């Protein structure tokens, strides 16, 4: 009879033992299958709670740089700092216990077990905290928890290494992008100085050539007139490029208090004829704007560039399209915003990342210089503002200028 009882107890405990072993194997397999901290935590908590008779189980993860996450205090914090396990029967009688956590979560802690988790280098990477057991923990429970903590330490270590690798790759990529941008800026400024000098010298002879072409057009007869007119168009295009480029090099001049709405009105007036000739409708919604410190010439140049692009885009629409200009004031951020929208073809996704590049154009040679947006962005950024765009291909484009109102913010 007695012998039978022993066998019964043995088979029961060996069944528990086998189940736990299976659970541990499961844990090891699952923990090896993920590098995500949140997933790791979920796996551990599920397995521990299945096996160990406690009411609440929490995994605290220690920051890689040894800053303990919210762990300097409380029982878990103590285990993390000392690296020693804590087994407390009555939490409220222990001065290290922080009642405020119970108050915060509406919980009543009775007993607590805090097990530090170490990685393979013996560095503490977490604390497993078990609260309010439903029966006393036996030797097997503690062995099970020890094994879990060992697996957990390895898994957390892998997760950290993985996270660091991803972060360092991201940082490397960002650094490369900054270096590329810097290189481009350096190239541009070296090119600016060189080319601006040459172009400045070219501007006058080009203007003279246009003048002589105009004279010749009156003096000669067909077919020479036609040829002269073609020469004149070509030289005018060269002069346009030269002027654009000089604006690009100059970026922005002296800032003065300016009424930007009246700058917008003046600029649209300049384009009235062009708009009408291609049946492009213009809608203006100008809000009251505060006087803003800008270089009016440069800002007008930007408005002109954006309006010309919008005009080209909307003008291609059958029956003529519509351009809208909106201005508004953000008093909280002390900025003004100008939006220029058209209902043209929009900007194809594949060129969106390139439109601000100098000399990038999708227009036929002779009609686009690819400098309008590059010049505009440079001018707006020289005013500490932002030039951005939104476009759904097929549904038009909106270019947005944001400028700080005050000179002091420059
Ligand atoms: N409103 C717009 N709608 C569609 N595409 C635009 C618009 N504005 C600019 N783009 C695109 O950006 C390119 C660069 O513009 P920009 O720098 O002004 O040079 P350009 O007008 O001489 O081509 C244009 O060739 C065009 O592809
Ligand atoms: Mg343009």
């Amino acid at each position: 009879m007695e012998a039978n009882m022993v066998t019964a107890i043995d088979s029961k405990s060996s069944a528990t033992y086998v189940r736990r072993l299976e659970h541990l194997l499961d844990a090891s397999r699952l923990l090896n299958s993920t590098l995500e901290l949140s997933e790791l935590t979920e796996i551990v908590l599920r397995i521990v709670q299945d096996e160990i008779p406690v009411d609440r189980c929490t995994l605290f993860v220690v920051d890689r740089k040894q800053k303990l996450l919210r762990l300097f205090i409380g029982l878990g914090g103590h285990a993390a700092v000392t690296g020693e396990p804590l087994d407390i029967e009555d939490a409220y009688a222990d001065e290290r216990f922080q009642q405020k956590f119970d108050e915060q979560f509406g919980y009543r802690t009775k007993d607590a077990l805090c097990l530090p988790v170490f990685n393979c280098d013996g560095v503490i990477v977490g604390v497993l905290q078990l609260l309010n057991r439903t029966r006393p923990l036996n030797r097997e429970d503690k062995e099970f928890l020890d094994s879990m903590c060992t697996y957990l330490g390895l898994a957390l270590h892998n997760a950290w290494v993985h996270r660091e690798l991803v972060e360092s790759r991201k940082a490397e990529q960002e650094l490369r992008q900054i270096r590329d941008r810097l290189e481009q800026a350096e190239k541009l400024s070296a090119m600016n100085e060189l080319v601006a000098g040459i172009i400045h010298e070219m501007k006058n002879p080009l203007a003279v050539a246009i003048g002589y072409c105009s004279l010749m057009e009156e003096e000669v007869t067909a077919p020479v007139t036609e040829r002269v007119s073609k020469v004149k168009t070509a030289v005018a295009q060269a002069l346009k490029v030269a002027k654009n480029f000089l604006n690009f090099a100059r970026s922005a001049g002296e800032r003065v208090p300016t009424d930007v709405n009246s700058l917008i009105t003046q600029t649209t007036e300049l384009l009235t004829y062009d708009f009408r000739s291609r049946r492009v409708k213009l809608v203006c919604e100008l809000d009251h704007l505060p006087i803003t410190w800008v270089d009016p010439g440069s800002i007008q140049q930007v408005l002109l560039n954006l309006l010309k692009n919008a005009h080209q885009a909307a003008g291609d629409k059958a029956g003529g399209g519509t351009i809208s200009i909106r201005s508004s004031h953000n008093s909280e951020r002390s900025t003004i915003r100008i939006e220029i929208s058209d209902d043209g073809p929009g900007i194809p996704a594949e060129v969106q990342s390139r439109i601000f590049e100098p000399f990038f154009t999708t227009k036929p040679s002779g009609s686009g210089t690819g400098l309008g947006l590059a010049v505009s962005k440079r001018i707006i950024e020289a005013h500490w503002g932002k030039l951005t765009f939104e476009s759904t291909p097929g549904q038009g484009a909106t270019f947005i200028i944001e400028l700080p109102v005050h000179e002091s913010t420059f």
Side-chain angles (χ1 to χ4, degrees), residues 305-306 308-309 312 361 363 367-373:
N305 289 345
L306 298 182
K308 275 190 186 166
N309 281 347
Q312 276 163 342
T361 181
K363 293 170 191 169
S367 88
T369 60
L371 278 171
L373 288 180

Side-chain angles (χ1 to χ4, degrees), residues 40-59:
L40 282 179
T41 313
E42 221 173 274
I43 294 168
V44 170
L45 298 185
R46 204 178 55 231
I47 292 177
V48 171
Q49 228 149 8
D50 273 358
E51 277 305 321
I52 306 295
V54 289
D55 178 53
R56 188 170 276 206
C57 173
T58 315
L59 172 67

Side-chain angles (χ1 to χ4, degrees), residues 103-356:
E103 283 156 21
Q104 196 179 337
F105 297 110
Y107 192 71
R108 173 77 193 186
T109 303
K110 287 180 247 149
D111 54 80
L113 177 66
C114 297
L115 301 170
V117 178
F118 296 95
N119 70 8
C120 42
D121 302 324
V123 176
I124 190 150
V125 285
V127 172
L128 189 62
Q129 181 177 271
L130 305 144
L131 301 182
N132 295 3
R133 55 203 82 168
T134 51
R135 63 156 169 80
L137 299 186
N138 56 29
R139 192 167 51 88
E140 283 81 18
D141 294 328
K142 289 192 176 153
E143 277 171 8
F144 176 81
L145 286 170
D146 277 349
S147 306
M148 268 312 285
C149 285
T150 309
Y151 288 141
L152 191 55
L154 294 176
L156 282 178
H157 180 74
N158 290 343
W160 284 129
V161 171
H162 172 72
R163 189 178 273 199
E164 271 186 359
L165 207 72
V166 170
E167 274 171 12
S168 81
R169 259 193 227 141
K170 220 162 77 194
E172 210 177 284
Q173 203 180 347
E174 273 167 21
L175 206 72
R176 206 176 310 132
Q177 274 172 359
I178 292 173
R179 215 180 294 140
D180 283 353
R181 255 182 265 142
L182 250 163
E183 229 171 72
Q184 208 199 358
E186 269 170 21
K187 263 193 224 154
L188 269 178
S189 85
M191 187 174 75
N192 272 354
E193 277 179 39
L194 193 80
V195 185
I198 302 170
I199 285 184
H200 188 72
E201 294 304 314
M202 274 168 53
K203 233 175 54 177
N204 287 344
L206 288 175
V208 173
I210 291 175
Y212 276 106
C213 283
S214 301
L215 279 180
M216 275 165 73
E217 271 176 327
E218 287 167 16
E219 288 163 4
V220 293
T221 50
V224 184
T225 341
E226 210 178 288
R227 289 178 192 148
V228 171
S229 149
K230 279 189 179 156
V231 172
K232 193 175 142 190
T233 311
V235 178
Q237 171 67 11
L239 187 61
K240 193 168 102 188
V241 174
K243 281 186 179 161
N244 266 340
F245 196 89
L246 284 181
N247 278 328
F248 182 55
R250 196 169 62 98
S251 79
E254 197 195 341
R255 281 145 209 169
V256 291
T258 307
D259 173 2
V260 174
N261 274 343
S262 81
L263 214 54
I264 294 174
T265 318
Q266 284 165 29
T267 316
T268 53
E269 276 166 10
L270 282 178
L271 293 168
T272 314
Y273 174 77
D274 295 284
F275 285 163
R276 209 176 295 146
S277 69
R278 291 184 79 184
R279 286 195 288 163
V280 171
K281 214 172 97 196
L282 183 69
V283 181
C284 279
E285 287 171 41
L286 307 182
D287 250 9
H288 170 75
L289 297 184
I291 293 296
T292 308
W293 279 80
V294 293
D295 166 23
S298 304
I299 298 300
Q300 186 163 36
Q301 173 76 47
V302 174
L303 294 171
L304 214 54
N305 289 345
L306 298 182
L307 282 167
K308 275 190 186 166
N309 281 347
H311 171 242
Q312 276 163 342
D316 289 339
K317 218 176 151 173
T322 305
I323 297 177
S324 323
I325 310 182
R326 259 170 250 110
S327 68
S328 55
H329 174 216
N330 184 330
S331 53
E332 247 170 57
R333 294 174 52 197
S334 200
T335 53
I336 60 164
R337 182 182 168 99
I338 307 157
E339 288 180 25
I340 299 181
S341 311
D342 65 72
D343 57 358
I347 305 167
E350 64 275 16
V351 305
Q352 289 197 358
S353 62
R354 302 199 55 200
I355 60 168
F356 288 114

